[in-house]
Amino acid sequence: MSVDTEEAAVDARTLFASADRDWRHLARGAAGLAGFVGVWWVVSLFQNDLVLPSPVSVAETFVAELLSGAMVTALFQSMLHWIPGTIAGTLLGVGLGVLLGWSRRADDTAAPVVRLLRPVPPLALIGFAIAWFGINHAGAAFIVAVGAFWINFYNAYGGVEAVSEDLLDVARSLGVSGDLAMVRTVVLPSALPEILTGVRTGIGRCWMLVVAAEIFGVPGIGRQILTASNNLAVDVVIAYILVLSLVFLVVDSAFRAVQRRVLVWRD
Amino acid sequence: MARLSDSSGASDGDEPSGDEPNDNEPGDGAARVSVDGVEKEFPGERGPVRALDGVDLDVADGEFVCLVGPSGCGKTTLLRIIAGLEPPTGGEVRLNGEPVTGPGPDLGVVFQEYHLFPWRTVAGNVAFGLERQGVPEEVRERITSDLIELVGLDGFGGAYPSELSGGMKQRVAIARALAVDPEILLMDEPFGSVDAQTREMLQGELLDVWEETGKTVVFVTHDVEEAVTLADRVVVLAANPGRVREVVAVDLPRPRRRTDEGFVEGVERIRGLIGD
Ligand SMILES: Nc1ncnc2c1ncn2[C@@H]1O[C@H](COP(=O)(O)OP(=O)(O)OP(=O)(O)O)[C@@H](O)[C@H]1O
Ligand SMILES: [Mg+2]
């Protein structure tokens, strides 16, 4: 039992130490942010609002857009492209990445097609999105899904390829036989760090892709930014960019927390 | 440190009713291995590499055999072939008369570099093979904690491999291999990556485990003193191509001391055999 209390004490110490470090990190970050807004504000004093509105007028616009409901609607619409597109692309990408990374035969068969399709940028597929789905949420989600697919495909593929041959030998010696059992017990857990990195990168990239995909006429934050740009309403543009950043920040931090939890075993 | 309790197989036997497939008596889990004219050729850049050329070797029930020989003489290759991890290009390996056709829980393997599953805790690593066999959870937990105790890692069941020293990792690897109650334990320089002090301690503990479980052990090492400390018989391999040069029986009572006359003689004899 003495080991337990000792461990608890060590836990508490490291916890306090890391809380301390976290505070220092946060303080520095806050200072950097304040500096950035300060410079922005000073520069905006000497500029026309059409070129660079001040932080204050952007904040006012932000609140106005929020209260009018326009911002919430746009955010909701963009979510309709982002979430289903990212989920579908991620599942397909991880699934195929694991399959081709594990099975030589599947890889040989698919390699030429993969090489052919890989360099195609998702936005080049707008034509297909319109033809297959129309100018609607599904069309935008399709483009987002293509983006998520490739990122996840390559990360999962690489993660599976890097699985240690020795661990597979150990598993075979302990009675694992058959592809499905091996994938479940060794390949997936072993490749999980790479897979999760892919998922996280994909979530971020797809958020940017949402904005780009909406340019072809589907309503959402991207559409709002485009319209505001056409009207030379720089304050509105910045207000919506802020929404993009805030949403990304929240989602990425949440995912990072999950990732850390799942991968506690990594030193 | 390692309180000697029954091995997994033996503790299964403690169950009131035989609710397990393996109702082995202690010592009954040991097996006879015969290596019969085993050859191995690897494809190489400049023609095939002949790693093993007609190796014959018989290991008795419960025997502790060490394989020594110069680097590259095929020790690892021979061990992997016995383990079923590598097919021979000629000859045959039999376990209790049955040809070995692939790896499996009968053939326990411990490697130099531990190869623990990093995403599993100590207990999770030890329990891996039992999970594959569908052993019920309570039985699994009991076997796992017995084995963790057997290898002297009490209290570390919840630790991850990244938190362990090399010696501790190797103890986990040994417990993991023993968990499925293999008929034979195949070890490839298992103590090659730990410091000398830890190595001696692990040698003593391995002998304890061996005496307690009665397993047949085939143990590869570079270290001639280690071989003479552990083995009933030391098989000296020669290189290019790999073959059995000589088999040296070590008829010394255990525990053996490195300063004993017989020990020193044995070491010198084997060194001479490897050297020329
Ligand atoms: N997968 C492989 N492909 C090609 N050649 C191999 C392979 N594995 C081993 N060899 C060759 O077979 C021979 C025996 O190798 P092996 O690893 O069995 O030797 P070893 O006795 O274990 O050496 P060491 O003491 O250095 O561990 C060497 O010449 C090696 O180069
Ligand atoms: Mg070797």
Side-chain angles (χ1 to χ4, degrees), chain B residues 42-43 49 51 69-78 86 188-189 220 222 240:
Chain B
F42 289 108
V49 177
S71 189
C73 70
K75 303 182 290 293
T76 296
T77 305
L78 179 57
E86 196 99 58
D188 192 2
E189 306 198 37
V220 169
H222 261 121
N240 296 321

Side-chain angles (χ1 to χ4, degrees), chain B:
Chain B
M1 178 202 300
R3 192 186 72 78
L4 293 176
S5 65
D6 290 334
S7 77
S8 58
S11 45
D12 292 348
D14 290 345
E15 287 295 289
S17 63
D19 58 352
E20 293 237 355
N22 45 1
D23 50 348
N24 298 333
E25 295 297 317
D28 176 72
R32 207 156 29 84
V33 180
S34 36
V35 176
D36 209 356
V38 160
E39 295 171 17
K40 182 73 185 182
E41 226 170 51
F42 289 108
E45 305 243 311
R46 279 166 286 123
V49 177
R50 202 148 182 75
L52 295 173
D53 191 30
V55 173
D56 294 311
L57 174 67
D58 279 304
V59 184
D61 263 13
E63 193 180 16
F64 200 127
V65 166
C66 281
L67 302 181
V68 300
S71 189
C73 70
K75 303 182 290 293
T76 296
T77 305
L78 179 57
L79 203 78
R80 287 177 59 84
I81 289 173
I82 298 175
L85 290 169
E86 196 99 58
T89 40
E92 191 177 53
V93 176
R94 284 188 305 273
L95 182 69
N96 289 333
E98 295 290 315
V100 170
T101 54
D106 283 349
L107 301 152
V109 186
V110 176
F111 298 99
Q112 175 173 357
E113 299 301 337
Y114 333 119
H115 302 315
L116 300 180
F117 301 115
W119 60 89
R120 284 180 167 244
T121 60
V122 168
N125 267 279
V126 177
F128 184 91
L130 298 168
E131 287 170 21
R132 300 309 310 154
Q133 298 183 339
V135 174
E137 196 175 337
E138 314 110 62
V139 183
R140 208 163 67 209
E141 271 169 18
R142 205 197 55 233
I143 295 174
T144 302
S145 68
D146 282 357
L147 279 169
I148 290 175
E149 194 183 315
L150 179 72
V151 297
L153 286 177
D154 280 6
F156 286 96
Y160 284 97
S162 60
E163 304 168 280
L164 305 180
S165 70
M168 291 161 90
K169 284 183 197 165
Q170 199 52 280
R171 289 184 169 99
V172 177
I174 291 170
R176 178 177 65 180
L178 286 172
V180 290
D181 197 24
E183 308 219 33
I184 173 170
L185 208 50
L186 303 161
M187 310 178 87
D188 192 2
E189 306 198 37
F191 308 148
S193 309
V194 298
D195 60 273
Q197 229 178 326
T198 311
R199 189 179 315 151
E200 276 186 34
M201 209 155 79
L202 287 170
Q203 286 166 3
E205 289 173 19
L206 176 64
L207 282 177
D208 289 346
V209 170
W210 172 66
E211 272 162 18
E212 188 61 29
T213 60
K215 297 267 178 249
T216 307
V217 180
V218 178
F219 186 109
V220 169
T221 178
H222 261 121
D223 179 347
V224 176
E225 296 205 336
E226 180 168 71
V228 177
T229 304
L230 297 171
D232 293 319
R233 285 189 300 152
V234 177
V235 176
V236 183
L237 298 177
N240 296 321
R243 62 208 182 273
V244 176
R245 161 149 212 167
E246 189 145 340
V247 179
V248 178
V250 187
D251 290 319
L252 300 168
R254 295 187 180 87
R256 296 166 181 163
R257 263 177 317 195
R258 295 180 177 219
T259 45
D260 287 351
E261 207 180 312
F263 190 98
V264 176
E265 267 171 28
V267 168
E268 270 170 14
R269 169 135 183 257
I270 292 164
R271 285 224 172 102
L273 285 167
I274 298 173
D276 47 48

